[in-house]
Amino acid sequence: MKVSLRDAPLKSQVALRLDSGDDGINDRLAALGLRDGVVFAVQQKTASGGRVVKAEQSRIAIGAELSRKLQVEVFE
Amino acid sequence: MNSNAIPQSAVSATSTPGESGRMATPTLALVGVANTGKTTLFNALTSANAAVGNWPGSTVAVSQGVWRVSQTTAFSEAAALPSVLNVLDLPGTYSLDSITPDEQLTRTLLLDTANSPEICVVVVDASRVSHGLYLLSQLREHRIKVMVALTMNDVAAKRNLDIDPIALLNALQVPVVVVDPRRRKGLETFAQAVCETLNAPVPTPRPLRSDASDVLAHDEDRFTWIAAAVKAASKNQDADQVSVSDRIDAWLLAPYIGQIIFLAVLWLVFQLTTSVAAPLQEGLSQLFSGPVSEGAAWALAALGVGESWVEGLIISGLITGVGMVLTFVPLLTLMFALLAILEDSGFLARATVIVDRMMRTIGLPGRAFLPLIVGFGCNVPGISATRILTNSKQRLLTVMLVPLTSCTARLTVFVMVGTVFFGQYAGTAVFLMYLVSVNLVVLFGYLFRQFLFANIPAEPLAIELPPYQLPKLRLTAAATWVRLSDFLKTAGGVIVAAVCAVWLLQSIPLSAESAFGEVAPKDSAYGAIARTLAPAFTPTGFGSWETTAALMVGFVAKEAVISSWAQTYAVPAASGETAAGALGEKIVAAFAESSGGHPGAAAFSFMIFLLIYSPCVATMAAQTREIGKKWTLISFVIYLLMAYTLAVVVFQVGRLLW
């Protein structure tokens, strides 16, 4: 099931699906360890409507706007 | 070269990288992701021998310092390590992909110049080691001497992450050193590794297996290399463990509660920088206007130059100017210390997340909220606080917006004018000025974004949250001292010169009847300039020469507006509620005359003008230091024109109403 990161259930494991989009954003996400296919946990909702995700050893805060744009596949 | 550049004397007598000629002293560049301890390592190596400033020709902040190796370790003599190294603390960056000006500068300094640093140290956080290695993977594709400093090992240990530096070294094929700059541990080993790397030949670039034109394949190649190295170096790994940081963030980043905690922290910063520093500022001010000035007057009298222009220059110029600079010291010390604590603890990264959406409306990241809030206490530390912004364009915009925040110096004038003109409604009038100030920040933020900085990257928020740490006193003190001394060196001279210039104008007589330095303000060059400019303020309702003169002095310090009125009207200075005496009556009478019988409208127009027309000289000095003369001048002209326009509109509309 592919949904936006914002719509993915909290505490779920998801895989990132970078279909297309801004190369600059994709580069930045890749540098943070978030590449196409990477599995991570959606940890919590933030005060500004974004999400905190946990990928490998890193905890990454993603803003509300980007959370709406990013597509993920929910595993559980 | 940018006049706002880092003072080279603070670094060495040799040239900077990027300028012509190979440097005699080797340069070591510290690079890495933000919040990995890179700046902490820089501070540990350079101690107080550092300068923070913009890189020549850019507005990107780069710290430069001198690492006196013999003071760090006894190792240098035995290993033929140079006794001194220049150290650059480059802006935090994830990669060499040039997206922001900061990243472009980092790339240029490391790769695109003939004088790139002799050695590049990638600072990697051991608690998230894979994250910091992407930059290393890109550096390894170039002919550059590179090594890894592995920091935050204590944090990694708490998270049950055990990274074997030897295994990492073998996998990466670059020197790896465990170092704890917060506790100054491992610096000797670090020095040894630097020496070995410096003396070793330049390594052959790591070949990429993929086609050079296939960017995605390149990335995949790099990530495979990183994953293999991390796997080889990780002894045990439990990434799913819930850490203390996770637990704190569950509250701190949560909707509603997170915002309340954030506002409480900001309130505390605001309170500490104003309430705690205020009595210290007052004490220093009294010290300089009292005992220091009296002592100087006594000494000058003993030397036979008492009550002469020499006394005026020394007491009203130099001592007043130096006193003004020093009154900022308590305020700035507190501000810089608090910023260092917030930064070191990991809180600032969370601030970015919490107010991100709100600040994004004016094109700024969440952490820009802090300098703006601090600006309401005093614009000077507010502008200095913009150093926490890593993107230079965002920093430029924030520096230009901070002068619109109504500082406490303006508040003293607002309270005085409000009391004199609006009596029991003074509080409402002052509150209105704060509302105007907040709205102006939003309005100008929007306008600047639309017309001046349309190319500011609208970066979506995607940042790594560093683990929380207890701030270290020594680090806080070192960071505070570096920023404070830098302010005193660069802005202090400008402030003293401006105060002396005002004294000079007030000392020059326009007729032969008075001697130099012994002339009443209205008969001086200063009075003549005010009389010349005053008619221009007729449409604003406050076109008297006395008020024009007060605004001229207000350029030096906003609170000096009141004392200027007192001086020109020849009545004792007062402030706040006590102002409704003889001085208040004279001001009301002057405004009534200059406004044609609409003093209330003129007073409100005056407060609007005072809020916007120009920051004080200390703020402008701080602005110049941060964004250069060009942008300081641009913002000065924009605000002056806007202040005048708004003041005219307010008065012309206001006089129809009351």
Side-chain angles (χ1 to χ4, degrees):
Chain A
M1 180 179 59
K2 218 162 91 168
V3 295
S4 75
L5 173 60
R6 196 180 166 88
D7 292 331
L10 295 179
K11 311 297 175 193
S12 64
Q13 292 284 321
V14 298
L16 186 61
R17 296 297 175 215
L18 289 175
D19 296 334
S20 57
D22 186 334
D23 283 345
I25 295 172
N26 290 352
D27 284 349
R28 189 158 293 280
L29 289 171
L32 286 163
L34 297 177
R35 308 182 307 281
D36 187 41
V38 160
V39 176
F40 57 88
V42 184
Q43 269 201 321
Q44 76 174 99
K45 193 191 279 188
T46 68
S48 59
R51 296 289 181 271
V52 175
V53 303
K54 195 164 194 173
E56 295 180 8
Q57 304 149 328
S58 301
R59 294 172 68 246
I60 298 156
I62 295 175
E65 197 183 326
L66 190 55
S67 296
R68 266 194 301 271
K69 284 183 188 164
L70 289 181
Q71 292 291 302
V72 295
E73 195 171 337
V74 182
F75 286 137
E76 56 185 82
Chain B
M1 181 179 286
N2 191 337
S3 59
N4 195 31
I6 299 167
Q8 295 305 299
S9 57
V11 179
S12 77
T14 55
S15 61
T16 50
E19 293 176 343
S20 58
R22 170 57 63 181
M23 299 193 320
T25 307
T27 295
L28 178 154
L30 295 172
V31 294
V33 177
N35 301 313
T36 52
K38 184 168 61 65
T39 300
T40 310
L41 178 58
F42 172 81
N43 288 337
L45 296 176
T46 60
S47 300
N49 306 311
V52 186
N54 294 343
W55 190 259
S58 78
T59 53
V60 179
V62 175
S63 298
Q64 292 192 78
V66 173
W67 177 19
R68 300 191 191 289
V69 185
S70 57
Q71 290 177 7
T72 306
T73 168
F75 166 77
S76 58
E77 289 176 14
L81 185 68
S83 58
V84 172
L85 271 89
N86 288 330
V87 184
L88 300 179
D89 179 14
L90 298 182
T93 179
Y94 296 106
S95 70
L96 290 176
D97 304 325
S98 307
I99 298 172
T100 66
D102 311 61
E103 289 166 345
Q104 282 168 7
L105 179 75
T106 300
R107 184 184 174 89
T108 304
L109 287 178
L110 293 181
L111 304 176
D112 296 346
T113 67
N115 299 300
S116 54
E118 276 71 13
I119 179 167
C120 183
V121 177
V122 183
V123 183
V124 175
D125 177 351
S127 70
R128 41 191 180 136
V129 70
S130 60
H131 181 38
L133 293 180
Y134 186 79
L135 178 62
L136 177 76
S137 72
Q138 289 184 310
L139 285 169
R140 280 290 291 113
E141 292 157 21
H142 298 271
R143 293 189 62 79
I144 183 166
K145 291 180 180 179
V146 63
M147 59 175 274
V148 169
L150 205 56
T151 58
M152 310 259 189
N153 295 278
D154 52 338
V155 178
K158 280 180 194 164
R159 294 176 61 184
N160 202 26
L161 300 170
D162 197 354
I163 301 295
D164 180 355
I166 305 296
L168 194 61
L169 180 156
N170 290 331
L172 298 172
Q173 290 297 300
V174 297
V176 176
V177 182
V178 173
V179 61
D180 183 355
R182 302 180 86 236
R183 295 174 182 79
R184 294 182 184 249
K185 289 180 182 169
L187 293 180
E188 193 157 336
T189 319
F190 178 79
Q192 187 172 359
V194 167
C195 175
E196 286 168 3
T197 310
L198 271 174
N199 292 332
V202 178
T204 309
R206 190 177 77 85
L208 287 165
R209 289 192 295 272
S210 51
D211 183 336
S213 62
D214 191 341
V215 179
L216 287 177
H218 268 189
D219 263 354
E220 209 48 53
D221 191 307
R222 288 171 189 142
F223 285 119
T224 306
W225 182 69
I226 292 167
V230 173
K231 191 177 176 186
S234 302
K235 289 180 185 168
N236 53 332
Q237 186 168 316
D238 185 6
D240 292 333
Q241 190 186 31
V242 177
S243 66
V244 175
S245 293
D246 291 339
R247 292 195 190 98
I248 296 173
D249 279 341
W251 290 91
L252 230 159
L253 294 178
Y256 309 114
I257 295 171
Q259 280 127 334
I260 291 168
I261 295 172
F262 175 68
L263 288 175
V265 172
L266 284 184
W267 179 84
L268 192 65
V269 170
F270 185 76
Q271 280 295 106
L272 284 171
T273 50
T274 51
S275 309
V276 175
L280 296 170
Q281 283 186 286
E282 184 64 25
L284 276 169
S285 181
Q286 286 176 0
L287 177 71
F288 276 85
S289 60
V292 174
S293 294
E294 287 162 13
W298 176 84
L300 291 168
L303 291 169
V305 287
E307 296 185 3
S308 67
W309 68 267
V310 178
E311 183 183 295
L313 173 63
I314 290 176
I315 294 176
S316 303
L318 292 174
I319 291 178
T320 304
V322 171
M324 186 185 287
V325 172
L326 291 181
T327 56
F328 282 113
V329 170
L331 195 64
L332 287 167
T333 305
L334 263 172
M335 171 49 49
F336 291 143
L338 289 170
L339 282 180
I341 288 169
L342 292 181
E343 203 158 20
D344 195 23
S345 64
F347 181 82
L348 277 187
R350 274 73 183 180
T352 307
V353 177
I354 293 164
V355 287
D356 177 68
R357 187 190 277 176
M358 187 180 80
M359 295 302 291
R360 200 166 286 281
T361 57
I362 55 172
L364 290 171
R367 55 169 52 192
F369 198 60
L370 197 92
L372 292 171
I373 284 292
V374 170
F376 279 99
C378 176
N379 287 180
V380 176
I383 283 172
S384 298
T386 59
R387 288 267 160 200
I388 59 172
L389 298 171
T390 50
N391 181 290
S392 54
K393 286 278 172 62
Q394 290 167 346
R395 194 152 55 88
L396 176 59
L397 176 55
T398 312
V399 168
M400 288 177 72
L401 291 178
V402 167
L404 291 172
T405 56
S406 184
C407 64
T408 49
R410 289 170 175 117
L411 177 65
T412 58
V413 185
F414 291 157
V415 171
M416 192 264 191
V417 173
T419 308
V420 164
F421 285 91
F422 305 111
Q424 60 176 318
Y425 300 109
T428 308
V430 173
F431 178 70
L432 258 177
M433 294 313 299
Y434 272 86
L435 277 186
V436 170
S437 172
V438 170
N439 282 295
L440 284 173
V441 169
V442 175
L443 175 69
F444 276 88
Y446 177 79
L447 293 175
F448 285 155
R449 184 85 202 280
Q450 292 297 312
F451 300 109
L452 281 180
F453 306 117
N455 60 346
I456 286 187
E459 295 167 30
L461 178 74
I463 58 159
E464 184 156 16
L465 297 172
Y468 287 103
Q469 297 180 103
L470 276 177
K472 294 278 173 213
L473 182 63
R474 191 176 54 218
L475 289 177
T476 303
T480 303
W481 170 245
V482 167
R483 286 172 167 166
L484 181 66
S485 60
D486 187 49
F487 172 82
L488 292 176
K489 276 185 272 186
T490 52
V494 179
I495 296 170
V496 174
V499 171
C500 289
V502 170
W503 169 83
L504 182 65
L505 287 173
Q506 289 178 334
S507 301
I508 299 172
L510 290 181
S511 67
E513 292 168 15
S514 307
F516 178 78
E518 296 168 6
V519 58
K522 68 181 172 61
D523 300 322
S524 67
Y526 168 79
I529 294 170
R531 274 197 299 277
T532 307
L533 293 175
F537 291 107
T538 304
T540 65
F542 51 85
S544 68
W545 84 265
E546 293 92 341
T547 299
T548 307
L551 287 169
M552 284 165 60
V553 174
F555 172 69
V556 176
K558 291 287 175 281
E559 62 270 39
V561 165
I562 298 171
S563 58
S564 171
W565 269 330
Q567 198 180 4
T568 50
Y569 289 119
V571 289
S575 63
E577 292 177 3
T578 59
L583 178 59
E585 286 170 13
K586 294 220 173 199
I587 293 170
V588 172
F591 270 62
E593 189 185 338
S594 62
S595 65
H598 304 282
F604 198 59
S605 161
F606 174 78
M607 290 200 290
I608 291 282
F609 189 82
L610 185 82
L611 173 66
I612 312 169
Y613 82 110
S614 163
C616 67
V617 67
T619 303
M620 287 191 75
Q623 270 189 306
T624 308
R625 187 170 65 101
E626 297 298 333
I627 60 175
K629 284 179 188 161
K630 186 183 101 180
W631 284 108
T632 303
L633 188 64
I634 288 172
S635 68
F636 172 78
V637 171
I638 290 172
Y639 290 151
L640 188 60
L641 292 175
M642 195 52 69
Y644 185 78
T645 308
L646 282 177
V648 170
V649 169
V650 165
F651 176 66
Q652 296 300 332
V653 173
R655 73 174 183 160
L656 299 175
L657 302 175
W658 86 91

